[in-house]
Amino acid sequence: MTSKLTRTALMAALLVAGMGGSAGAAKFVEPPVFSSKKGVLDILMIARAKPVAAIAFKPPGQATAINPTGWVYEICYRSQAINDRCPLNKSTISEFGGVRLALQPGDKLKIRLVNRLPKQDPNKVMHYWNSDEETPVVDEAGVNLPLSPTNLHTHGLVVQARGATVNNPTWGDDIYVTLYNPANGMPQEQMMDHGAVVTSGVLDYVIDIPPNEPSGADWFHPHVHGITSDSLSSGLSGIISIGRHGTYLSDGKKAFPKQQQRHLILKDMQVLAAGTVNFQQGINAYPFPVSNGEVLDDQQDPQFCTQYPASPAETRLGSCPGTNVDGDNDYTNGAWYFPVSGVVYPTIAVNKPKGELWSITNASASATYRLELNSNTGNYPMLMQLISVDGISAYLPPGTSLADKQKLGGSRFDVVTCPGTWPADFPEPMCIKSMSMLPGSRAEVWVTYRDASGNIVKPPRGASATLRSVGITTGEAGVGDPWPAVNLAAVTFHGTYTNSALVALKLEGEALKANAPQGIFAAKVPYAQAANLPPGCAALPPGHRRRIFFGLVDVTNPNIFGLGYEELDQDGKVVLGSEHPVSAFDPMNPFICLPLAAGQMPVREAWELVNLATENHNFHIHQTKFRAVDPTLAPGSKSPFAPILHPETGPGVMEDEATLQIAHAKDQSWAQEISDNQNGYCTIAQWHDGTCINTPAVVDIPFAETGEFVYHCHILEHEDAGMMAKIQVVPSPVP
């Protein structure tokens, strides 16, 4: 746990760094863009290793700096590719920072994915600690992971999870396929393969973007269970934009200028003293002794740096220095880098009237950021208007109370009162001082110069700010991860002031449109054809809901995460026989199966999410969005938390990531028991008997796409260690 003195030193150090380094080493660079043409985006995407030019690391005793090797997507238009290779010219992009795929509703996304990733050391992947923590054993589920398989997932898109068939050998957004590089050798046959195995090194995706797909910010990354975290830690990810922000954002008269939008992709890379990247391949690949008696543990470590600077002399401009963690993991002379769109500590010049729209994506594998835009002259967090969350605009009806806005913000956003008055027809704006971004989350914010009271004013001469993560611990000391404080970018202001009447931007209600009669969560699923239900697949009875538990398979073993389940009836009682203990991911078991509603219409379900841990988990589900609801509200309530949508109310805030709050023990003795003997985790039985207290988060989930997909914790260290489950949505049966 961080002392008060250390945190004070942090604030002083970060402030000094921001003031003394108001100009970054390089200008901010927008991610390269590949745009659809005539309704199609057809690209070649090659996953391969490449030195990261943005990171110049100088190992101790070495005269010159080196560029550590990361993993990148080399991309070009298919029309320019030659035999599954991109040309060696400026039309080919292979940036560690990532690219943006610019798509429109109704487009067709065609990707030929090629695996040219290098083979990994099998000693780093095939072992884990057994329950007595004395001897390492071979992990049979991970024997093929050293071959660096990959695939692709379009995170946030509400598209069909379609697998390949004999008649159509291309894939939709389906993670149940594993692509191998034939140069690395052939994979061993397994009893529990993660879907189809493709050994040719080439895989074709065709993803149809629905015409009613909401406009907003999404992204893409690999999703092979066991190495998802390591693939992202190495750099494999990029962003997707659907539509144009002008369709949901204006000043009340004109659409917000498209040239005044920035895309900030947050990634991180831990570089060891030898200049190698700190990550470890493999499911349940935990530290084990090697021949010289040392401990091998090179997966990403949240304690790679001290959480806060030790003194004002330690300036953290886009990185922090490695440290020795209790003598077990010595990262001394290493460095942890936090580039923004591929640039370490860039300068962002905000110099146009009306300011800028920042679209921010946390593409890190496990790191959490607590972001502030801190004024360097007044030392205060500058207010920002929250525009969208996880790819859909945060529409709130006029008159929404501050209490409801703060409840909607939860632990993700520090919501405060917006200063000034705005036209009566404006949806209620949400102003924030800071935001917590767990892995996978996205947010769009309006940034313009504001004074300490949050008023939009003319920036004084030389006005500047620092975009920084102030450090955050995602749970109780000893259990939650202590993510470090670091300055991410220098921001300068000039010429942003427009007029005193503009105090908020107007959201045109993209979230409302998503739930309108022709919206993606309300319109008929066009491709679904009536068919008999698979065995055991049935609709959730009226009034019933599902309860999902996030925990450990065995609370005495902190290495294997999992999810538990039970169904509740209309009275909130557990349906006998529906209970399932906390279990690690099983790709062979479609744990939940449900049909669309009659007439192939979307179906809505209520889920309760229960965190059994004293650390945060981050719920994410593929192929859909969801929103927080309050089932205790009376029918007809106009609250944004109303379980049943009302046209005059709107959906509030729709998300595809939800931060689950930590559990607490009912008294100190049980708290000590859970801490000492249960690794900070409760059991389902302890939650039911009240020993462990956690109020479930209740979410309304509309299912509007079919296929086999997953829900999981998007802290990918947890997902790779088992905190994921399979779900299947099928067409409504023949009447």
Side-chain angles (χ1 to χ4, degrees), residues 195-230:
V197 175
V198 178
T199 59
S200 64
V202 179
L203 195 62
D204 286 306
Y205 287 89
V206 176
I207 299 173
D208 294 309
I209 312 299
N212 52 5
E213 178 79 18
S215 298
D218 300 301
W219 64 301
F220 61 90
H221 61 84
H223 212 296
V224 173
H225 183 57
I227 55 170
T228 305
S229 172
D230 303 319

Side-chain angles (χ1 to χ4, degrees), residues 411-672:
S411 62
R412 293 182 70 174
F413 303 100
D414 183 6
V415 181
V416 297
T417 300
C418 294
T421 58
W422 42 88
D425 64 338
F426 270 42
E428 192 73 26
M430 288 181 69
C431 289
I432 61 173
K433 290 196 300 184
S434 65
M435 52 184 161
S436 293
M437 298 194 69
L438 272 76
S441 63
R442 288 93 65 215
E444 289 183 324
V445 292
W446 180 38
V447 175
T448 191
Y449 188 81
R450 296 176 184 259
D451 63 19
S453 298
N455 299 302
I456 300 172
V457 297
K458 182 178 180 179
R461 186 178 182 87
S464 67
T466 303
L467 177 64
R468 68 188 191 184
S469 182
V470 298
I472 182 172
T473 300
T474 52
E476 294 185 353
V479 181
D481 292 327
W483 300 106
V486 64
N487 293 319
L488 300 173
V491 183
T492 60
F493 292 93
H494 177 71
T496 62
Y497 187 69
T498 303
N499 59 67
S500 58
L502 183 61
V503 299
L505 294 183
K506 182 180 181 181
L507 276 69
E508 305 292 350
E510 189 74 15
L512 192 61
K513 293 178 184 177
N515 287 284
Q518 297 306 313
I520 197 163
F521 299 128
K524 181 179 179 180
V525 180
Y527 59 82
Q529 300 294 322
N532 294 326
L533 294 179
C537 190
L540 201 62
H544 286 222
R545 58 184 184 269
R546 306 185 195 273
R547 179 181 285 155
I548 312 297
F549 294 96
F550 291 69
L552 292 176
V553 173
D554 177 356
V555 293
T556 66
N557 183 350
N559 295 337
I560 305 178
F561 294 82
L563 296 170
Y565 174 86
E566 59 193 24
E567 182 183 323
L568 307 180
D569 65 18
Q570 64 276 11
D571 298 319
K573 296 181 180 179
V574 177
V575 176
L576 295 179
S578 69
E579 307 96 324
H580 193 280
V582 174
S583 304
F585 175 61
D586 179 358
M588 306 299 290
N589 179 17
F591 191 62
I592 293 174
C593 182
L594 62 107
L596 295 172
Q600 311 309 330
M601 299 295 290
V603 61
R604 290 183 178 271
E605 292 190 349
W607 287 22
E608 289 188 3
L609 311 174
V610 180
N611 187 2
L612 299 175
T614 55
E615 66 174 329
N616 293 128
H617 289 297
N618 191 29
F619 171 70
H620 170 59
I621 186 167
H622 291 200
Q623 323 307 138
T624 188
K625 311 281 186 180
F626 54 82
R627 66 185 188 97
V629 298
D630 183 352
T632 66
L633 290 174
S637 169
K638 293 186 178 181
S639 165
F641 292 96
I644 300 175
L645 291 173
H646 300 276
E648 70 275 15
T649 301
V653 173
M654 298 197 72
E655 309 167 276
D656 56 46
E657 305 271 343
T659 304
L660 304 184
Q661 297 308 293
I662 63 176
H664 300 278
K666 70 176 181 179
D667 56 44
Q668 188 58 41
S669 63
W670 273 109
Q672 200 65 44

Side-chain angles (χ1 to χ4, degrees), residues 214-217 242-250 255 261 357 359 387-388 391-394 444 506-511 513:
S215 298
I242 300 293
R244 298 177 178 87
H245 65 263
T247 64
Y248 58 87
L249 186 64
S250 74
Q261 182 178 22
L357 177 68
S359 180
I387 302 301
S388 77
I392 297 189
S393 62
E444 289 183 324
K506 182 180 181 181
L507 276 69
E508 305 292 350
E510 189 74 15
K513 293 178 184 177

